[in-house]
Amino acid sequence: MRNATIRQLQIFSVAASHLSFARAAENLHLTHAAISLQIKQLEEVSGTLLFERIGKRVFLTEAGEILLDHTRQILQSLKEADAALLALKGLKGGRIAVAVASTAEYFAPGLLAEFRRTQADVRIRLLIDNRDTVSRLLAGNEVDVAIMGRPPAELDAVAVSFAPHPLVIVASADHPLARHASVAIEDLAGETLIVRESGSGTRSAMEEFFQERSIKPRIGMEMGSNEAIKQAVVAGLGISFISLHTLGLELSVGRLCILKVEGTPVMRRWHIVRHRSKHLTPALAAFWDFVVEFAPAYLRRLV
């Protein structure tokens, strides 16, 4: 393995985490052919197959799983060495990789912009995906920190709650229920729901809400994007259970309305999360403290 390059290990780590060369190419802004070539060269260096294809799916071989564990340790050591050298030189910079649950994409960029005003030299990589993927990125040490709703129970993590996260039920402005001063939960039984995909924190919260009230929602459409859901609701295709933090524009121009359903808003919390064993570089510590101290007031301005 002494002839393997850092670039090959970086590419292998991303491809192994996603179990998809196409997703790795998308994330690294490379072609599928470039990913395949680097993996092939790494397999030649290691003298063994690292991936196997069964049907249309890609799996790690036993050798691939072993190499992935060591690769993550190597890449993490390099990141820590980089941060330590920056600190030793007295630089204010550093790098942090932040993953945010897709519902948080409506406030996370603005929050990062505020942080950059205080720490202009810190370089930030932002990844946005659903809760399951964000949890996997944390577990695989592919990101330094995450902003999400409920922290993953299976991860040995440090998590701090920093702001309320209200979830509401919305309909188009001309929906018949929009005129009601209050809506009983039973009134929703016949409504078509447009919902997030499985693995989304919003989907989990919705399922808990209806299960606790012994209501089986009639799911008409499933979408992987809050934007798509909002447009579908505006078009009158159904109602939705969604984060209040995603609704600023549509509420302000009167395209959507919040139904006054008993038991809502459902209150959750936003958390900042890192792996318990994660080394706190100066840049990461500064970002962590900033979110905990600044984000509550920032989010209050959005609702």
Side-chain angles (χ1 to χ4, degrees):
M1 292 300 301
R2 67 182 60 186
N3 293 323
T5 67
I6 297 299
R7 186 58 173 161
Q8 287 169 346
L9 294 178
Q10 290 171 331
I11 291 172
F12 168 69
S13 176
V14 176
S17 297
H18 290 290
L19 291 177
S20 167
F21 287 12
R23 288 287 300 276
E26 179 183 341
N27 285 5
L28 296 171
H29 305 291
L30 296 172
T31 65
H32 191 286
I35 297 291
S36 299
L37 177 62
Q38 293 291 331
I39 296 298
K40 181 180 179 182
Q41 291 175 345
L42 186 59
E43 288 179 330
E44 291 173 352
V45 167
S46 64
T48 185
L49 283 177
L50 301 174
F51 295 93
E52 58 183 351
R53 185 178 295 276
I54 299 177
K56 295 183 178 180
R57 299 183 62 188
V58 173
F59 298 86
L60 280 173
T61 63
E62 182 179 3
E65 291 176 354
I66 292 172
L67 182 58
L68 179 59
D69 183 51
H70 287 284
T71 295
R72 285 172 172 167
Q73 294 179 43
I74 291 167
L75 296 179
Q76 178 60 25
S77 293
L78 288 172
K79 286 171 64 177
E80 292 178 3
D82 188 31
L85 290 171
L86 286 172
L88 184 64
K89 294 175 183 177
L91 300 178
K92 296 180 180 179
R95 306 174 194 165
I96 51 175
V98 182
V100 303
S102 51
T103 298
E105 69 179 311
Y106 291 86
F107 66 83
L111 194 62
L112 294 180
E114 294 289 344
F115 174 71
R116 286 294 305 277
R117 290 190 181 98
T118 65
Q119 301 287 341
D121 295 328
V122 174
R123 284 178 287 172
I124 300 174
R125 183 166 65 99
L126 177 63
L127 297 93
I128 300 171
D129 217 310
N130 67 25
R131 180 184 184 278
D132 278 2
T133 300
V134 169
S135 299
R136 179 179 53 74
L137 291 171
L138 273 175
N141 197 36
E142 295 178 62
V143 295
D144 301 306
V145 66
I147 293 174
M148 60 196 307
R150 187 175 300 173
E154 67 278 7
L155 183 68
D156 184 18
V158 176
V160 175
S161 165
F162 64 83
H165 179 200
L167 296 132
V168 296
I169 297 176
V170 296
S172 63
D174 58 358
H175 192 283
L177 292 178
R179 297 188 293 271
H180 291 204
S182 65
V183 178
I185 189 69
E186 291 78 14
D187 294 337
L188 302 181
E191 296 292 331
T192 298
L193 256 78
I194 304 170
V195 301
R196 285 291 305 272
E197 78 286 3
S198 296
S200 157
T202 302
R203 174 68 174 268
S204 298
M206 182 212 74
E207 290 172 344
E208 288 179 18
F209 174 78
F210 284 105
Q211 187 175 19
E212 288 169 358
R213 291 157 179 79
S214 301
I215 297 290
K216 186 174 182 179
R218 189 172 73 182
I219 296 175
M221 302 179 75
E222 183 178 285
M223 297 182 176
S225 152
N226 290 309
E227 278 302 310
I229 287 175
K230 290 189 293 182
Q231 294 308 312
V233 174
V234 168
L237 295 176
I239 64 175
S240 187
F241 183 97
I242 197 167
S243 168
L244 181 59
H245 288 141
T246 70
L247 299 174
L249 176 61
E250 288 77 15
L251 291 178
S252 66
V253 298
R255 301 183 72 197
L256 289 176
C257 72
I258 298 174
L259 299 183
K260 299 176 179 63
V261 180
E262 58 188 33
T264 65
V266 175
M267 297 304 297
R268 294 290 189 265
R269 300 284 301 178
W270 286 114
H271 293 80
I272 183 168
V273 187
R274 71 175 190 269
H275 199 286
R276 189 173 299 279
S277 60
K278 186 70 185 176
H279 174 64
L280 269 178
T281 65
L284 180 55
F287 180 73
W288 184 277
D289 291 342
F290 174 84
V291 171
V292 172
E293 295 172 11
F294 178 83
Y298 182 79
L299 265 68
R300 279 197 296 271
R301 299 201 299 265
L302 301 182
V303 295

